[in-house]
Amino acid sequence: MALTHDTLSAAPDFSAFVRKDQSGGASLDLLVKGARCAGCMAKIEKSLAELPDVASARLNLTEGRLSVRFRGGRGDAGRVIMTLDRLGYPATPFDPGQAAKAHDQESRRLVLALAVAAFGAGNAMMFSVPVWAGLFGQELGPATRNLMLWLSALVATPCALYAGMPFFESAWRSLKAGRANMDVPISIGVVLTLFISFVETILHGRDAYFDAAVSLLFLLLIGRWLDHRLRARARSAAADLLALQAPSATVVGPDGTERVKPLGDIAVGERVLVRPGDRIPVDGFVEDGVSELDNALLTGETAPVPVRPGDTCRAGAVNLSGSLRLLTLARSEDSAVAAIARLVEAGAQTKSLYVRLAD
C-alpha cells in the first residue's frame, strides 16, 4: 500500500531517533504493538523492505522490537512509522522502560480477559446443560428451555464481548489496513456464533451456542497467555545477561580528567578506565595497563586470561588485577554481551519440529 507525497510530508519528524553506527550506516529501533505471530512478522518485514531507503528490517516478537537499517547514512524514520501504522501496527521509538510497561499492561489485560471468559464459560454451561438434557427426552418444556437459553445469553454475551476485545481490536486494525490477520476469523466466528444463537433463541429454535462462543475465547486466551509468558521468560533470560553489564563507565578525557557516564552514552573511540574488580563496560582494546580477565560469562572458562596493550577485551569480562585504559570499539548495544542476549532471544523464538507440527 503506497504512501502519497502529501501523507509523507505530514509525517512527524523522528530523525532524532535514527542512530549512526561506526561504519557510517543508519539504523532505527521501534516498539511495535499488535504483532503476535510469524505472519505478522513476515508482513511487517516484507512491507518495510520494499521502501526505497530501507536495507533490512527485523522484528523481534519477544520484545516487540523492530530494528530497521537504512541504505546510506540517512533514513526516513517517519515514513517507516507511518507505513507500520497503515499496516495496522502502531509503533513508537523503542524505549526499554516503555516496552516493559506495555508488556505488564498486556499481561494484566490477558489475565483479566481469561478470568472473565472462564466465569462466562462455566456459568453459561450451567444453563446449557438442562437444555442439552431436554434434547434427549427429558422433561423440559419449550418455555423453560427458552428461559434457559436467555439466561445463558445474559451471562455469555457480555463475557464474550469483553474477553474477545484483544481479538476484536487486533482484527479491526488489520481490516482497516486492508489486510487480514489470524484474529479476523476468530472475531468473525465469535460474532456470528452469538448472532445465530440470538436468532435461534428469538425464533424458539432448537439450538443456541452462547456457551460455545465464550468457551472458544477461554481456550484461545489460554494459548495467548501461555505465549505471552513464554516471551516474558525469554526476555527475562536476555535481561539477566544484559544486567551483568556495568551500568556506567569512567571516561578519560583528552586532558586526563575522569568522569562517569551512563553505559548508553559511551561512544565509539572514547577512552575508558577499568579498575580492578570492575566489569568491562564495552568492547575495546587495551591502550595502557596489564591485567587478567575473568571471561567466564562469555566463554565459560574460569581460568584468568592475561591482557596487555593491543589485546581486545569484551564487555562482560571482569578485570581482576591491574587498571586498564581501553579505547572503545563498539557501543553497549553492539557489544558481545548484547549479541549473546540477542541469540538467547532468537533461540527462544525458534520453534522445534514438534511445535511446528502442533501449529
Side-chain angles (χ1 to χ4, degrees):
M1 187 178 295
L3 298 176
T4 65
H5 176 74
D6 293 338
T7 303
L8 290 176
S9 62
D13 183 14
F14 291 98
S15 58
F17 298 97
V18 177
R19 204 174 57 246
K20 301 293 182 64
D21 56 31
Q22 57 185 356
S23 63
S27 60
L28 172 69
D29 287 339
L30 297 173
L31 176 63
V32 179
K33 300 176 182 178
R36 294 186 175 89
C37 63
C40 299
M41 183 168 64
K43 184 192 307 180
I44 290 172
E45 293 178 354
K46 179 180 178 182
S47 299
L48 292 183
E50 294 174 351
L51 296 179
D53 56 346
V54 173
S56 65
R58 177 62 180 167
L59 176 63
N60 185 329
L61 285 178
T62 301
E63 288 187 304
R65 182 173 185 168
L66 175 67
S67 297
V68 181
R69 292 190 63 84
F70 297 101
R71 293 187 176 90
R74 302 184 56 181
D76 191 343
R79 179 187 305 194
V80 172
I81 292 177
M82 292 201 68
T83 301
L84 291 170
D85 189 61
R86 291 175 68 90
L87 290 173
Y89 302 99
T92 57
F94 185 81
D95 175 49
Q98 184 183 1
K101 181 179 178 181
H103 181 271
D104 292 340
Q105 290 176 343
E106 180 72 9
S107 180
R108 288 193 296 269
R109 187 184 186 194
L110 286 176
V111 169
L112 186 56
L114 182 60
V116 170
F119 171 83
N123 286 275
M125 202 77 70
M126 179 177 64
F127 296 113
S128 298
V129 169
V131 176
W132 298 342
L135 296 178
F136 293 96
Q138 304 296 323
E139 293 183 2
L140 188 67
T144 305
R145 181 165 55 82
N146 209 50
L147 174 62
M148 292 296 176
L149 293 179
W150 279 115
L151 291 174
S152 180
L154 183 64
V155 172
T157 303
C159 291
L161 293 178
Y162 180 85
M165 287 307 295
F167 304 97
F168 300 154
E169 291 176 356
S170 174
W172 177 244
R173 285 196 302 266
S174 180
L175 290 175
K176 280 204 308 182
R179 301 171 183 267
N181 61 7
M182 61 184 296
D183 292 328
V184 172
I186 293 173
S187 303
I188 292 175
V190 170
V191 172
L192 286 182
T193 300
L194 292 175
F195 175 76
I196 293 172
S197 300
F198 271 109
V199 171
E200 282 285 296
T201 304
I202 293 172
L203 299 179
H204 302 284
R206 173 173 172 168
D207 300 309
Y209 312 97
F210 297 108
D211 55 314
V214 70
S215 297
L216 172 63
L217 289 172
F218 173 63
L219 296 174
L220 291 171
L221 285 168
I222 290 176
R224 183 151 294 186
W225 181 78
L226 290 174
D227 177 68
H228 189 78
R229 291 295 302 165
L230 177 64
R231 294 184 191 180
R233 187 168 300 179
R235 184 184 297 111
S236 175
D240 290 343
L241 278 174
L242 293 177
L244 295 176
Q245 285 183 299
S248 60
T250 302
V251 176
V252 181
D255 56 354
T257 58
E258 300 177 5
R259 60 192 180 99
V260 177
K261 292 179 65 175
L263 187 62
D265 294 342
I266 304 298
V268 176
E270 290 191 290
R271 288 170 173 79
V272 175
L273 178 65
V274 184
R275 295 183 172 88
D278 292 344
R279 285 194 182 273
I280 305 296
V282 293
D283 295 348
F285 72 87
V286 180
E287 273 196 335
D288 185 37
V290 177
S291 182
E292 293 180 323
L293 300 182
D294 178 2
N295 288 320
L297 172 65
L298 301 172
T299 65
E301 176 58 61
T302 57
V305 177
V307 291
R308 55 185 54 85
D311 290 343
T312 300
C313 302
R314 298 297 180 187
V318 179
N319 184 21
L320 297 178
S321 52
S323 295
L324 297 174
R325 189 173 67 182
L326 307 179
L327 182 66
T328 60
L329 300 175
R331 294 174 58 89
S332 61
E333 59 265 30
D334 300 321
S335 66
V337 174
I340 293 174
R342 285 193 291 270
L343 288 174
V344 170
E345 293 174 353
Q349 288 182 197
T350 302
K351 295 183 178 182
S352 67
L353 172 63
Y354 298 106
V355 173
R356 291 196 298 269
L357 287 175
D359 290 345

